[in-house]
Amino acid sequence: MTTAYERLKARFARIATLGEAQAMLHWDASAMMPAGGAAARGEQLAVLAGLGHDLLTAPEVADDLAAAEASGDWDSANLALMRRAHARAAALPTALVEAMAIANSACEACWREAKARADFAMVRPRLEEVVRLQREMAAALSATLGLAPYDALMEGYQRGVTAAEVEPVFAAYEAFLREALPQAEAIQARRPAPVPLPGPFPVERQRRLCRALSERAGLDYAHARLDESLHPFCGGTPTDIRLTTFYAEADVAKALMGVLHETGHAQYERGLPEAWARQPVGEAAGMAAHESQSLIVEMQACRSDAFLGFLGGELQRTFGGDAALYSVPNLAAHWRRVARGFIRVDADELTYPAHVILRFRLERALIEDRLALADLPAAWSEGLRGLLGIAPPDDAQGCLQDIHWYDGAFGYFPSYTLGAMAAAQLMRAARRDRPEIDAALAGGEMRPLMGWLREKVHSQGARLGFQDLLRQATGRPLDPEDFTAHLRSRYLQ
């Protein structure tokens, strides 16, 4: 006879399997699906979302949770996460879950065309429906979880982090940037301009190099594949990783650094504890934790002087040209260049948080009904002008540039900068524990770093929250000073 906890584990494994199917359909929608499949895909995703929701909210789940708690036959962290998932799901009617899946899919498909036309008005009616449903979800979760509505959405991406905690961190960074950005620009202006790299860079060669470098970072292509999409991402499942990137023949860094970034995400998924596969405790610790893993690979490791020395030789062998053009100073001048720009995904690591701060403030105002969607483009321009002193020339370079809101992801954006700050903190601790990391990077070898991350982050799954994960790995909760110290070292000296 099975115990209550065994029944719960079997149920959550089924729910996770439905989630894996959803993940594959999302990947296909971005990488392979013809435009005409969007409506049917929305219905497919809605049915899967509804099935998973019904499994999670069935009456017997509450009974089994209570029985398992009373029996003592359970893993405390896994049961706590089961209880949390049940509480969130029970707050939401199945009809709302399915309606959100349909609205998100329809809005995302419309966004693709609206972005191509730089026409926010074209997608606004679809986004109105997405925001309406997000507010309804936020209100329902707020009442159940005892959180503010926007905090309830944030908690779905990174548990234990609230807007009240994020606000002072972001305000302090804005103050730092106000002084640091002009200083970095002045230092940069005194240096020789970077010599152009000898493009164009044929896509097929880029594809081979991207794969080879991701393999060097430890990615096993028996469990992964690399494709193309408009917006690079890492999806799939821990045993079937789907990476995508975007190739530009004039700019090899776009795909290269994009793939290395997504490889960090992929390695986190591949390193999750197999013994807890398809259980809540076997998942990643949250999206800020996930972003820390992509950014420790791309920004901390692969844009370091040590790795650029190795990478220059790989680029010269792959694309030809004068080896001097691929020197560390020239690559650093290209790929660590500070520039006030409109596009978040193209931003340098000094100005990138400004883009996140803008989106955090705008999406919070949207959810709290303090900003009308009709006013979003103007609010975007005003906010970016205040943070970086520039305003986008059109909607495509403004409020249409990201997929997130149009796919129903509200509360996600803070994870990007929290992840960047955590990456700097983790890298400092990794270098302390494994002094050989930089020498290994100089040879294109990431095993010392990846081994440390496997032990301290990946293998922990969701057993620890964001702050406790950092405490265990580094000895401290999140300390933004490690990030600003990294930026001072890289850009202000």
Side-chain angles (χ1 to χ4, degrees):
M1 182 176 176
T2 60
T3 66
Y5 183 56
E6 288 171 339
R7 289 194 298 271
L8 286 169
K9 287 181 69 177
R11 181 177 293 268
F12 273 84
R14 288 177 66 83
I15 293 167
T17 304
L18 287 172
E20 291 174 2
Q22 288 175 280
M24 288 306 180
L25 289 177
H26 276 296
W27 165 82
D28 178 76
S30 295
M32 296 290 177
M33 187 187 76
R41 181 55 46 86
E43 294 165 357
Q44 294 156 7
L45 289 167
V47 168
L48 289 171
L51 288 172
H53 187 262
D54 289 345
L55 277 170
L56 192 49
T57 57
E60 56 266 33
V61 177
D63 295 339
D64 280 343
L65 284 168
E69 183 76 45
S71 73
D73 176 28
W74 37 264
D75 177 90
S76 59
N78 200 39
L79 189 64
L81 291 171
M82 287 175 171
R83 196 180 301 111
R84 170 181 176 265
H86 174 68
R88 287 186 66 89
L92 305 176
T94 301
L96 174 58
V97 173
E98 293 182 350
M100 287 191 297
I102 291 172
N104 294 347
S105 184
C107 187
E108 180 193 343
C110 184
W111 163 76
R112 293 177 186 280
E113 187 175 352
K115 181 179 180 181
R117 297 186 182 186
D119 183 3
F120 177 71
M122 179 180 177
V123 74
R124 199 179 98 196
R126 298 282 191 184
L127 187 57
E128 291 275 9
E129 178 66 1
V130 169
V131 171
R132 183 187 72 79
L133 293 169
Q134 287 288 314
R135 287 173 179 160
E136 188 176 338
M137 178 173 73
L141 290 172
S142 173
T144 298
L145 303 177
L147 297 169
Y150 181 72
D151 288 343
L153 297 183
M154 285 182 64
E155 202 257 358
Y157 294 101
Q158 183 61 69
R159 74 182 193 270
V161 177
T162 66
E165 293 173 296
V166 169
E167 275 181 334
V169 171
F170 283 4
Y173 190 84
E174 184 179 4
F176 164 78
L177 185 65
R178 198 172 295 120
E179 294 186 5
L181 180 54
Q183 293 175 25
E185 289 172 327
I187 291 170
Q188 186 172 270
R190 293 196 293 270
R191 293 176 177 157
V195 181
L197 298 178
F201 303 94
V203 167
E204 188 51 43
R205 293 186 200 174
Q206 288 193 54
R207 188 177 288 114
R208 290 198 302 269
L209 181 59
C210 285
R211 174 163 173 152
L213 290 175
S214 63
E215 287 177 321
R216 272 191 167 272
L219 187 59
D220 176 6
Y221 274 87
H223 293 279
R225 59 176 290 138
L226 176 61
D227 295 280
E228 298 178 45
S229 70
L230 182 65
H231 187 96
F233 67 94
C234 175
T237 74
T239 58
D240 185 0
I241 301 290
R242 304 299 175 96
L243 293 98
T244 73
T245 194
F246 180 82
Y247 298 100
E249 287 204 339
D251 181 8
V252 69
K254 183 179 290 292
L256 188 62
M257 290 299 172
V259 167
L260 289 167
H261 177 100
E262 302 305 337
T263 296
H265 284 305
Q267 284 291 78
Y268 191 3
E269 289 293 313
R270 289 289 299 133
L272 291 172
E274 291 184 14
W276 290 102
R278 292 178 173 161
Q279 293 298 307
V281 80
E283 298 174 356
M287 291 315 301
H290 234 305
E291 289 302 326
S292 77
Q293 298 310 285
S294 61
L295 292 170
I296 200 172
V297 172
E298 179 202 356
M299 291 296 184
Q300 296 291 325
C302 294
R303 293 185 194 248
S304 68
D305 282 356
F307 191 79
L308 289 181
F310 160 79
L311 183 56
E314 295 297 299
L315 290 167
Q316 199 272 334
R317 282 188 287 275
T318 302
F319 300 108
D322 186 347
L325 298 176
Y326 299 109
S327 66
V328 171
N330 201 45
L331 290 180
H334 279 285
W335 296 348
R336 299 204 302 246
R337 187 169 184 80
V338 173
R340 303 174 195 232
F342 306 121
I343 307 301
R344 174 184 63 87
V345 297
D346 293 337
D348 59 86
E349 59 183 333
L350 185 62
T351 62
Y352 190 104
H355 294 269
V356 173
I357 292 168
L358 171 66
R359 288 154 176 77
F360 164 70
R361 291 171 177 169
L362 292 177
E363 69 177 11
R364 189 179 179 194
L366 285 170
I367 295 301
E368 294 174 354
D369 207 8
R370 294 183 286 107
L371 175 63
L373 266 180
D375 299 328
L376 179 59
W380 186 289
S381 294
E382 180 183 354
L384 192 62
R385 190 179 290 111
L387 286 160
L388 292 180
I390 57 175
D394 55 41
D395 291 344
Q397 297 179 77
C399 63
L400 284 175
Q401 65 180 272
D402 295 311
I403 194 174
H404 302 66
W405 294 339
Y406 306 93
D407 195 27
F410 286 80
Y412 178 85
F413 274 114
S415 296
Y416 284 114
T417 288
L418 295 176
M421 292 174 172
Q425 187 168 330
L426 289 167
M427 192 63 165
R428 179 181 177 185
R431 284 182 166 128
R432 177 197 65 208
D433 294 347
R434 302 279 179 89
E436 71 273 20
I437 280 177
D438 284 300
L441 289 175
E445 179 57 68
M446 293 197 194
R447 275 183 293 185
L449 175 60
M450 280 298 166
W452 189 89
L453 292 173
R454 276 283 192 271
E455 175 190 349
K456 302 293 186 180
V457 179
H458 305 170
S459 65
Q460 301 302 315
R463 189 169 297 280
L464 302 172
F466 181 62
Q467 295 287 17
D468 286 339
L469 185 69
L470 286 173
R471 281 191 188 94
Q472 182 169 293
T474 73
R476 294 170 294 147
L478 182 68
D479 184 354
E481 178 53 34
D482 281 342
F483 183 54
T484 52
H486 160 73
L487 296 175
R488 288 190 186 96
S489 175
R490 184 169 279 184
Y491 297 102
L492 300 184
Q493 293 182 2

